[in-house]
Amino acid sequence: MIMEMEVMGSSQQDMNLIDILWNQDIDLGARREVFDYNHRQKEHELQRQRELDEEKRLHLVREQEKALLAQLQLDEETGEYIPRPPSSAPLQSAVTPLEVTQNVNFTDDTDDAMSFDECLQLLAETFPVEETENTSVCLDTTAVSAPMMSPEQPALPPATLSQSPLIPQPPQRMSPDLEQAWMELLSLPELQQCLTMQMEDTLETTTYPLPNSPEVQNPNYTFYPMASLTEGETNNVNVCPAEFMNTFDGSVPSMAPPDNLSPMEAKAPQLNTDFSAESFCDIFYPNAIVEESSGQHGLEGNESNTMSDIPNKPPFTPVDLYSLSPGDAFDRGKQNLTAELPDSDSGISSNTSPNASSPGKSVYGDGSFLYSDSDMEEMDHNPGSAESDYSEMFSLDFQPDGLQPAVSVLTGQPQHQQEKNPKQHKTDPAEESGHDNAPFTKDKQKKRSEVRLSRDEQRAKALKIPFTVAMIINLPVDDFNELMSKHQLNEAQLALVRDIRRRGKNKVAAQNCRKRKMENIVGLESDLDSLKEEKERLLSEKSRNITNMKEMKQQLNTLYLEVFSMLRDEKGNTYSPSEYSLQQSTDGSIFLVPRIKKTFIKREDKHLSSL
DNA sequence: CCCGCGTGTCATTAG
DNA sequence: CTCTAATGACACGCG
């Protein structure tokens, strides 16, 4: 009982520690679930459930494919599959289950409409190599997004399919002209979408978590649920939009040209799978093409003051998307300004992704810190109007998830995107809400980081550093170097920028280090608890064994004496246990051995006593 | 005033 | 050799 209470107490203690750790880890972007075993287990179960569902779907698809293939026979001349004559009775029976399952899946399907799975079958025939994988990718997206859809929303819009007059018959009654059916099928936007995703999958194997952008938070955008995905479920990286994010620079529209898109695309994309690359780009980067063609590169060639650059941009820049949010563009900016000001240090930390940086040669490898902190001190004592210009600074703030820079490096148009995306992460409510939820050290942290931030910000401002601290710290090495090379900074500016970057990185590292340390402590405490339990268990076992041993010795002694009492010599007298002993030889036989030594000693004792 | 805690920073080391 | 992350040590501010 006491032990149990101990265990409970220690687990409660652990939970408290976990609370503390969690509150700290908000800075680092870690979430409570990381520490919550139950939650992780739930996640695991959910994941397994999803996998099972996925497996079922795949199985179904394969079954249907088999059924379809059974219906068709290979034309050995053309290599095409052609439908078998309907007279084949066994095949008919083989087909029947297919209809049943289809009816189960898509009750809206009419007989002359083609189900999505049938389309997938055709896809499988046309792209046999990657069939299973890519089919799973398509299904994956629906599976992943399914929990976020409204429940009455079907897995795909069958009505759209059945309304099309061009849709061929289902396989059972399919016309022999499969090729024509294909041409019609390929005009379906869903399939284009799917194919596009497949191609992208082959091109782009790396997926990034969706950046926490204000656009996503905007309820005007119909794929708002993705925001929750990014907030809580970044594990599900295999989501189409995240991949579109990587290819929004035009590769996708080229694969899915707008004229092939049905009017359905223009409607609100209610499913993730319904996103066309086009609509996605339109919503997020409506002027991407314009930007590209204009060749305007944001900061490039405007090193002295880039803040004023943004308002001069064309009216439909992604930055201006900011103002598309319902009437709160400026308010939101102000709000985030005030929220960011005290907390931006931690905000920077929270979004830092160590994986974003890649080892690279520094352009400024001379390590010149000629104008290091000591030289900046005089600027530190100028708490004046730094805040008044934060809005300008923040307008250039940076999205630190490493996604955009990576894209920009690949596409060779780094500047204008890096300079515009910054705003997005400042409005990310996750980091601020994280701090708001932190029950302790909030005020303290605010004040301190206010001081801290105004220092670096003031220094940066004093030296007219044309980018924000967040950018300086969070840019991957390559992009950072590229950014530096794009601006002819003087020695002092360079030194300050490198100092800021070093400090910021080290701050995050220190936070990580402390977090690990706390985790180690928690782990050691739990180890200690379990070891204590083990010790208790072993001690009780030991005492139990001692008791048993005593008991057995007692029994053995009793038995021994009993055996002796039953032994008789030739005269019928009993042997004395003090004069004889029973000994067992190696072959198992038992001998009655006189205790010679003892008797001898006894005799000697007698002899001695007589002397 | 002292103390403990959280945090940022610097110097050093390891990889 | 260089770069970055990790970490010990210290300083600072706050309650």
Side-chain angles (χ1 to χ4, degrees), chain A residues 384-455:
Chain A
S385 62
E387 286 184 13
S388 62
D389 289 317
Y390 279 157
S391 56
E392 295 177 353
M393 304 289 282
F394 290 158
S395 70
L396 288 174
D397 209 341
F398 175 63
Q399 169 86 9
D401 59 6
L403 167 63
Q404 300 305 337
V407 173
S408 64
V409 166
L410 289 176
T411 57
Q413 43 169 347
Q415 284 304 317
H416 69 274
Q417 284 174 5
Q418 289 178 10
E419 303 292 329
K420 287 168 200 159
N421 289 324
K423 257 191 177 176
Q424 303 176 358
H425 113 280
K426 287 301 174 189
T427 59
D428 180 9
E431 58 185 57
E432 274 127 29
S433 67
H435 281 295
D436 289 344
N437 292 338
F440 69 175
T441 71
K442 190 173 74 177
D443 296 336
K444 184 171 61 179
Q445 196 174 3
K446 267 190 175 180
K447 287 181 187 171
R448 183 145 353 101
S449 48
E450 200 169 9
V451 172
R452 170 74 203 93
L453 201 154
S454 56
R455 264 195 214 158

Side-chain angles (χ1 to χ4, degrees), chain A residues 119-366:
Chain A
C119 300
L120 285 178
Q121 289 174 13
L122 289 174
L123 269 177
E125 289 177 23
T126 310
F127 303 97
V129 178
E130 301 180 307
E131 169 254 319
T132 50
E133 251 186 46
N134 290 329
T135 302
S136 77
V137 168
C138 288
L139 293 173
D140 218 8
T141 56
T142 54
V144 168
S145 59
M148 296 177 294
M149 295 186 296
S150 58
E152 59 273 6
Q153 193 72 35
L156 68 140
T160 312
L161 288 173
S162 54
Q163 282 164 5
S164 170
L166 299 176
I167 298 300
Q169 303 270 325
Q172 299 91 305
R173 278 154 251 162
M174 188 181 290
S175 74
D177 196 352
L178 260 179
E179 200 166 357
Q180 184 196 344
W182 258 114
M183 295 310 292
E184 293 160 353
L185 257 181
L186 286 176
S187 67
L188 288 178
E190 287 90 352
L191 289 181
Q192 287 174 352
Q193 178 69 20
C194 204
L195 286 173
T196 306
M197 285 157 50
Q198 289 171 346
M199 294 178 189
E200 284 187 25
D201 245 26
T202 59
L203 293 176
E204 184 82 41
T205 56
T206 310
T207 59
Y208 297 87
L210 196 68
N212 297 324
S213 60
E215 286 85 349
V216 179
Q217 305 292 335
N218 191 333
N220 280 348
Y221 297 103
T222 48
F223 34 81
Y224 171 76
M226 286 154 50
S228 61
L229 179 76
T230 25
E231 282 185 20
E233 298 271 340
T234 43
N235 291 339
N236 299 330
V237 291
N238 216 3
V239 182
C240 300
E243 305 196 2
F244 284 132
M245 291 299 289
N246 294 333
T247 50
F248 65 83
D249 54 3
S251 60
V252 171
S254 70
M255 293 163 93
D259 48 349
N260 279 346
L261 299 174
S262 74
M264 194 192 91
E265 296 290 338
K267 289 191 283 187
Q270 292 154 334
L271 304 176
N272 282 353
T273 46
D274 281 343
F275 296 161
S276 72
E278 183 73 13
S279 61
F280 193 87
C281 292
D282 279 349
I283 293 170
F284 269 15
Y285 298 97
N287 65 331
I289 299 171
V290 177
E291 283 275 314
E292 260 179 290
S293 60
S294 72
Q296 190 169 5
H297 278 4
L299 290 178
E300 199 164 37
N302 190 3
E303 63 183 69
S304 62
N305 189 359
T306 55
M307 296 91 176
S308 59
D309 193 25
I310 286 185
N312 295 337
K313 282 188 178 293
F316 232 107
T317 65
V319 169
D320 288 322
L321 274 176
Y322 207 44
S323 58
L324 290 178
S325 55
D328 65 343
F330 186 67
D331 288 344
R332 187 193 281 245
K334 269 201 306 192
Q335 170 196 350
N336 285 296
L337 185 66
T338 55
E340 175 61 27
L341 183 56
D343 250 352
S344 83
D345 278 2
S346 305
I348 292 163
S349 310
S350 73
N351 274 342
T352 301
S353 58
N355 59 347
S357 60
S358 60
K361 290 283 181 183
S362 171
V363 179
Y364 313 98
D366 55 355

